[in-house]
Every structure is written in C-alpha cells, then in structure tokens.
Amino acid sequence: MAVSSWSSSITSSLASFLPSSATDAATATLAWFTGTPPTPPPPPIDTSARVELVMSLILLAQLALLLLIFQFLTPVKGGVGRWLPPPETDKGAYERFVLTYTPVWIGVFAVIIAGQLYESFTANTYMLVCAGLCVPLFLYAVLAPSLPPHVPPSDALAGSSSFFERYPFKASVWLAIYSHIGNYWYTHYFYAVLKASYSMPSFRLNDVPLPLYFATFFYFSTYHILSNVLLRRVCTGYAPNIFRSIFLVCLVVVLSYFTAFTETLTISSFPYYSFEDPFMAMTVGSAFYGIYFLVSFPAFFRLDEWEGARLSLYQTGMDSLGAGMLILILLDAVRLCLAIPLTIKG
C-alpha cells in the first residue's frame, strides 16, 4: 500500500510539469517498477444512440411545426401549383438536367464510400473524381440549347440572346462563386467552431482541400434545385397571405437544417473528415452549417423566377457575392457570441 501511494504521488508530481505523452510513459515505468498494474484508459463513449434520439426529436418537431402552419394555407383557386418551370424554358430544362444528373454523382460517391476505394486515393485521384463530376454541369451550362427564358427579359436585357444571359450559365456562375466563397472562407469557421479537420492527401488552397471546391459545386447544385422545387410549389399553389409568408420562412429554416444534417450524416462514413465532438457536429453543427442555406436558398430561387427578377450576368455575380458576404457576417456573429478565436493558417 505504501509503495502504491508513493507511486501515485510521484506520478501526480510528474503530471504537473510534463506533457501528457511523457506523463504516460513515466506512469508505465513506475507501474512496472512497483508491480502496480497501470489503470486502463476509459472506454470511448458511444454517442450514436444519443444522436439518433436527439435528432429524431428535432426533426419531428420541425415537421410538426410545418404541418401546423400548413393547415392555415389557402390553395390557389382554379390552379395547381408547379414543382418545375415549363420544360421548354431555359430554367425548366436546366433544373430537369440537374435532377437527372444528381443520382449519377451520388451513385459514384456511394460506390467510393461503400467500397472504401478512397483508401487507395492519392491527391491526384481526389482531384480527378471531384473535378470530373463537375464536367457535365459545366458543359451543360455552355452547350445548353437556346430556349426561351422562363420570364421575359427586362428592357435593359431585351435583345440579348447570348448564352452568357441564359439561365444555365448564370445559375452555374452563381453557384461557382458561392461554392468558392464557402470553401475559401466558411470552412475555417468549421475548423474553429466545430473543430473539424480533413486528413486525406490533397492539394490545398487556403488550407482547404482543393477537390472540395469542385465537390461543393455539384453538391450545392442539387441542394438548390431541390429547394427551388419546394419553394415554387408553395409560391404557385397557395394564395399570398401572412400564413404563406410564415410557412415559407419556416420551410427555408427546416430545409436548411435538414440539408446540413443530411450531408453531415452521410459524410460521417468518410474517415478522413472528422469532428472533435460528433454529437455537437450533428445537432448544433447542423444549425451552424444551415446558416449557409438560410440565405442562399431564397436568394438562388429568385434568380429569373418572376417577371422583373431576370438578372444580367453581372447582376447574377453581384447577387451571389452579396449572399456570400451576408453568410460570412452571420457565421462570424455566431463565432463572436461563442468567444471562439478564428485563426486562418493559409
């Protein structure tokens, strides 16, 4: 008993000025010398059941809120709400193309994750996969057939038939700018606030894996077209009043949180993207990530959606930059409230 007490006192003294690795080594040496078995480390805490319970409650509460407000909506008389624009318009054709292409990139990622093909990936492989999956979307933006616009151009844009003013090209520019801002700036808030990290081999730009700049583009293309579909169905199917406005705001909030959570959940199977606290990443982190979409879903939806809302290419770029700046302000406001320092390694 005296030897054990002596060993514990020496170990405690060493821990006061040695780093943890050195303290562990000293503890093991003393345990061998005194014959006292070392104390095993505590088993890791499995939070999966807790995450499932909490997230189920959060999502069910959000769904209940939407269903409650939905009861007060007034359907448009003599009309049926539209999910998609007419297929013979530029916006209608583009949205259908993105929805058709979505199962392709999801399928490629599913095969890579399920088969653990990423274990043999190099920096070049990641670039090839992510950049390659962007090619069909970029090509469609340039090679899309010349179709009538979803809404007539304003007087300032009248007579412009260049593909630079067509919806597929403008939508791609909007999403490309937004994707770049998100990776170049917003990722560092994930590093600081959620303690996220990427450990796969990769080329980096501003300490963010370069393939993510491309992956975000096709991810966000799908997210925003699906958001368009739901927002349009509400806007065209129900009469404008205070209840529809409240429902639309709540719908954007729920869509933002659900989108962020779904991505966080699916990417958790990829071991080279991790969080210090997975439970916080799923619950609170989804709300933090959802700030992106609180701004971008309604901003992207309005692009060429209504008469008078058709933008030039220059206006489209400025619109995306403005949305990006607003998101940055909101993310930084959260960081300041939490008193978390922001360090960008570059």
Side-chain angles (χ1 to χ4, degrees):
M1 179 66 70
V3 172
S4 176
S5 176
W6 171 75
S7 171
S8 299
S9 64
I10 291 180
T11 301
S12 299
S13 299
L14 288 171
S16 64
F17 64 90
L18 287 177
S20 59
S21 57
T23 303
D24 293 342
T27 302
T29 302
L30 284 171
W32 175 83
F33 179 74
T34 60
T36 304
T39 303
I45 300 175
D46 184 9
T47 61
S48 57
R50 185 183 172 201
V51 169
E52 292 175 2
L53 174 62
V54 172
M55 289 308 305
S56 296
L57 293 175
I58 291 174
L59 295 175
L60 285 174
Q62 293 176 349
L63 179 60
L65 176 62
L66 285 179
L67 290 175
L68 176 63
I69 303 173
F70 182 78
Q71 305 306 314
F72 297 92
L73 298 185
T74 305
V76 175
K77 295 181 179 180
V80 178
R82 290 184 289 104
W83 297 96
L84 292 165
E88 64 274 9
T89 64
D90 55 358
K91 189 168 186 174
Y94 175 78
E95 290 193 359
R96 286 169 172 80
F97 175 78
V98 173
L99 293 175
T100 301
Y101 181 65
T102 293
V104 176
W105 71 257
I106 291 178
V108 171
F109 268 34
V111 170
I112 292 173
I113 297 298
Q116 297 186 355
L117 304 183
Y118 51 79
E119 295 293 357
S120 61
F121 278 15
T122 64
N124 289 326
T125 312
Y126 281 107
M127 277 296 296
L128 180 63
V129 170
C130 293
L133 288 173
C134 282
V135 170
L137 293 170
F138 288 145
L139 286 179
Y140 184 87
V142 176
L143 303 178
S146 179
L147 295 173
H150 176 51
V151 291
S154 63
D155 292 340
L157 299 177
S160 176
S161 59
S162 166
F163 76 84
F164 292 112
E165 301 299 337
R166 296 175 192 167
Y167 180 81
F169 189 82
K170 291 188 295 183
S172 297
V173 168
W174 200 104
L175 290 169
I177 292 173
Y178 176 41
S179 300
H180 177 81
I181 295 173
N183 283 282
Y184 193 90
W185 289 110
Y186 307 162
T187 304
H188 290 280
Y189 287 84
F190 276 66
Y191 293 164
V193 176
L194 301 178
K195 301 298 185 291
S197 63
Y198 293 99
S199 56
M200 71 278 203
S202 179
F203 306 110
R204 290 183 175 246
L205 175 61
N206 199 29
D207 198 32
V208 178
L210 194 55
L212 296 183
Y213 288 80
F214 294 93
T216 303
F217 179 78
F218 52 79
Y219 264 78
F220 280 11
S221 294
T222 294
Y223 297 166
H224 287 78
I225 295 306
L226 289 174
S227 170
N228 280 3
V229 168
L230 294 175
L231 294 177
R232 182 179 299 111
R233 179 63 181 82
V234 175
C235 288
T236 60
Y238 298 92
N241 54 39
I242 184 63
F243 293 110
R244 193 187 78 169
S245 298
I246 294 173
F247 184 82
L248 283 169
V249 170
C250 292
L251 180 61
V252 169
V253 172
V254 172
L255 278 176
S256 300
Y257 189 87
F258 180 76
T259 301
F261 166 69
T262 302
E263 181 181 321
T264 305
L265 177 64
T266 54
I267 204 173
S268 63
S269 301
F270 181 62
Y272 299 108
Y273 179 49
S274 59
F275 296 94
E276 187 177 87
D277 186 342
F279 176 79
M280 290 296 292
M282 290 285 185
T283 54
V284 180
S286 294
F288 187 69
Y289 182 19
I291 291 173
Y292 289 30
F293 307 120
L294 286 177
V295 176
S296 67
F297 280 166
F300 184 77
F301 172 61
R302 65 181 284 272
L303 177 61
D304 290 8
E305 181 67 21
W306 301 288
E307 188 166 353
R310 187 170 179 87
L311 305 181
S312 67
L313 180 61
Y314 172 78
Q315 292 169 328
T316 299
M318 296 303 292
D319 191 73
S320 182
L321 289 169
M325 189 64 213
L326 178 56
I327 295 167
L328 185 61
I329 292 172
L330 294 174
L331 293 176
D332 207 53
V334 173
R335 180 190 66 81
L336 291 174
C337 289
L338 298 175
I340 297 175
L342 176 66
T343 302
I344 299 179
K345 296 179 181 180

